[in-house]
Amino acid sequence: MLVIAAQVLAWMEAGLPANHLTCRFAPRPGVGIVHLGLGAFYRAFGAIYVAEAMAARGGDWGIVGVSLKSPGTRDALAAQGWAYTSVTLSPQGEEAKVIEVLQDVLVAPESPAAVVAAMADPGVKIVSLTVTEKGYCHNPATGALNQDHPDILHDLENQLPVSAVGFLVRGLAARRAAGLDPFTVLTCDNLPENGTLLRGIVLELARLIDPDLADWIAEKGRFPATMVDRITPATTDADIARVAEMTGRRDAAPVLHEPFRQWVIEDSFVNNDRPDFAAVGVQLVADVTAFEHMKLRMLNGTHSSLAYLGYLAGYETIADTMANPAFASFVERLWSEIMPAVATPPGTSLPDYARALKQRYANSAIRHRTWQIAMDGSQKLPQRLLGTLEANLQAGRPSPCLCLALAAWMRYVGGVDEAGQPIDVKDPLASRLRALSDAAGTPADKVTALLTVTEVFPPALAAQLHALVTAAAEQLWAIGAQASVETLGLGPAGLGPAKP
Ligand code: CS2
């Protein structure tokens, strides 16, 4: 232990000016949080807020991270004593900080019992999650648990789980057995009404395992909804080399992100036990819904639209896509279609939010690949695009740009780009989507076939969308993404001048 501590100190201090060292604690704090899913986003976002809240107001909120699949992040961080570099990238320059808030990292497949034990530790008050949309093992169109999911079938038959939901249920069961209160379950994924959704999924699995446990969770558990926002591309080998050059020190697991961040949390925690989030700018509110709709529809909805259309037009990153004036104008038109379907959250202006997003997307210091955002579309479309489309259909508002984005997803999941090259489509439904697309002949047939995927499209909405998306697809296949975007996107900008 002492040897590791000395190595880590050397690791942290070599090459970094003292004022770049932040969020270090001596003695180490106790563990108050178990976090499932230790990807770049959480380490660039939630972990930093927790570290800052502890630095500002104290408390034992050290974090035990859990990787649900592979040991890579644990192995990289172990050699660094769980510390890592966070780099803020902006056109004005870059700033590196060392974040030392993780106290341990567990790899669930290696030691599932240790993960359940960590959750059952009396000091732990919160279990948070960033496991991405597909990690919830649910049906994206209905929000219900997918009881046929292989991981859920496993977790129903075994004490030691593999799914995030399974770990939550077994962790809560262990606390109940020990006579402890439940932990607060804090979801940090981009899902609609994410707290309520996860509560429903956890209760459904718990009820199948032990109905009394489900009643206990329903009565005592807390599942606050959240809106999370910071653009954080996956870390690449080139990023690792760049950070080494910047800091003079090799970090095998740095995170690189934009300066902007926003976290809105429904203030509903078991026994009100949480870090002093308000002290570090987190918005604690009674109702997150308006913030969440704004973010999922205006940010993630346009992000996915730019990802599919930008990828098909040959762009590698969002910033590259935005550098094309037709796309920059097209995204404004998308916001004009989306804003009428979004309630304005307190203290916010939707046009200002859109203008700020435009700047964020144009940040060329961030290399956020269109391919990365295009991943898992079947899990993302309902909350990002379909809710907006449904609201516009009901109100009789046209949405040609959103329909084009949906058609672009359909072209993308066909697995062949406009130059005839294969696309590496990552999606839990990839092979089914590909088979449906391949079996259909014309673009119109492909639209008809893909709209039958009920995990994505509720049948009534599919029927309403059919003619509109068919028209968009016919144009997209005929003239390509670039020309389709030009057709819809060029012309005067849709957002009007910024407020002084
Ligand atoms: C992106 C998000 O990969 C994606 O699907 O849309 O990760 C996005 O960058 C974040 O939600 C921003 O907060």
Side-chain angles (χ1 to χ4, degrees), residues 9 12-13 16-24 96-98 249:
L9 217 57
M12 289 194 295
E13 280 167 3
L16 269 186
N19 65 355
H20 278 184
L21 289 175
T22 61
C23 302
R24 298 179 56 188
K97 292 178 181 172
V98 172
R249 179 177 44 62

Side-chain angles (χ1 to χ4, degrees), residues 41 45 133 189-190 227-233 258 260 262 295-296 299-304 307 360-361 368-370 372-375 380 384:
F41 175 71
F45 182 78
E133 295 85 350
D189 281 295
N190 289 311
M227 181 268 248
V228 295
D229 188 9
R230 171 167 265 182
I231 292 176
T232 310
E258 64 171 343
F260 182 90
Q262 187 178 14
K295 196 265 172 171
L296 290 178
L299 191 162
N300 297 109
T302 55
H303 232 191
S304 287
R360 292 169 65 193
Y361 289 176
H368 205 179
R369 294 176 72 194
T370 47
Q372 189 193 343
I373 299 163
M375 248 180 236
K380 293 174 172 173
R384 294 183 177 210

Side-chain angles (χ1 to χ4, degrees), residues 413-424:
V413 298
V416 181
D417 73 13
E418 291 179 0
Q421 295 304 306
I423 304 175
D424 182 12

Side-chain angles (χ1 to χ4, degrees), residues 328-355:
S329 164
F330 176 79
V331 75
E332 294 204 352
R333 285 172 187 273
L334 276 171
W335 282 315
S336 307
E337 290 179 15
I338 297 167
M339 282 190 288
V342 173
T344 305
T348 313
S349 143
L350 297 181
D352 285 352
Y353 185 76
R355 271 186 283 270

Side-chain angles (χ1 to χ4, degrees), residues 176-404:
R176 178 167 174 255
L180 296 168
D181 283 333
F183 44 73
T184 296
V185 180
L186 188 66
T187 161
C188 302
D189 281 295
N190 289 311
L191 290 159
E193 274 101 61
N194 56 5
T196 307
L197 181 119
L198 181 53
R199 180 176 188 271
I201 293 170
V202 165
L203 288 178
E204 214 180 317
L205 183 61
R207 203 160 293 289
L208 293 169
I209 290 173
D210 173 357
D212 291 344
L213 171 66
D215 290 342
W216 180 79
I217 299 172
E219 186 199 334
K220 298 192 166 230
R222 292 289 177 274
F223 297 77
T226 64
M227 181 268 248
V228 295
D229 188 9
R230 171 167 265 182
I231 292 176
T232 310
T235 304
T236 61
D237 288 345
D239 292 330
I240 291 174
R242 176 177 173 186
V243 173
E245 200 168 305
M246 186 192 312
T247 62
R249 179 177 44 62
R250 191 185 145 78
D251 181 331
V255 290
L256 295 86
H257 52 80
E258 64 171 343
F260 182 90
R261 61 178 183 173
Q262 187 178 14
W263 199 0
V264 189
I265 304 180
E266 180 189 352
D267 198 5
S268 169
F269 286 75
V270 176
N271 300 324
N272 219 14
D273 246 336
R274 52 168 164 70
D276 192 344
F277 284 130
V280 291
V282 176
Q283 294 160 266
L284 293 159
V285 302
D287 187 356
V288 176
T289 319
F291 292 96
E292 182 227 78
H293 277 183
M294 174 180 75
K295 196 265 172 171
L296 290 178
R297 294 180 177 190
M298 291 185 64
L299 191 162
N300 297 109
T302 55
H303 232 191
S304 287
S305 304
L306 290 172
Y308 296 117
L309 286 160
Y311 184 97
L312 292 173
Y315 292 110
E316 195 186 341
T317 68
I318 291 293
D320 292 348
T321 310
M322 288 293 287
N324 177 319
F327 274 91
S329 164
F330 176 79
V331 75
E332 294 204 352
R333 285 172 187 273
L334 276 171
W335 282 315
S336 307
E337 290 179 15
I338 297 167
M339 282 190 288
V342 173
T344 305
T348 313
S349 143
L350 297 181
D352 285 352
Y353 185 76
R355 271 186 283 270
L357 280 178
K358 202 171 171 198
Q359 303 268 315
R360 292 169 65 193
Y361 289 176
N363 179 354
S364 59
I366 300 272
R367 297 206 49 78
H368 205 179
R369 294 176 72 194
T370 47
W371 175 82
Q372 189 193 343
I373 299 163
M375 248 180 236
D376 297 337
S378 68
Q379 317 291 301
K380 293 174 172 173
L381 292 187
Q383 60 274 22
R384 294 183 177 210
L385 295 179
L386 301 184
T388 313
L389 275 163
E390 190 168 19
N392 283 354
L393 283 165
Q394 266 167 19
R397 287 186 296 260
S399 318
C401 296
L402 290 166
C403 288
L404 179 65

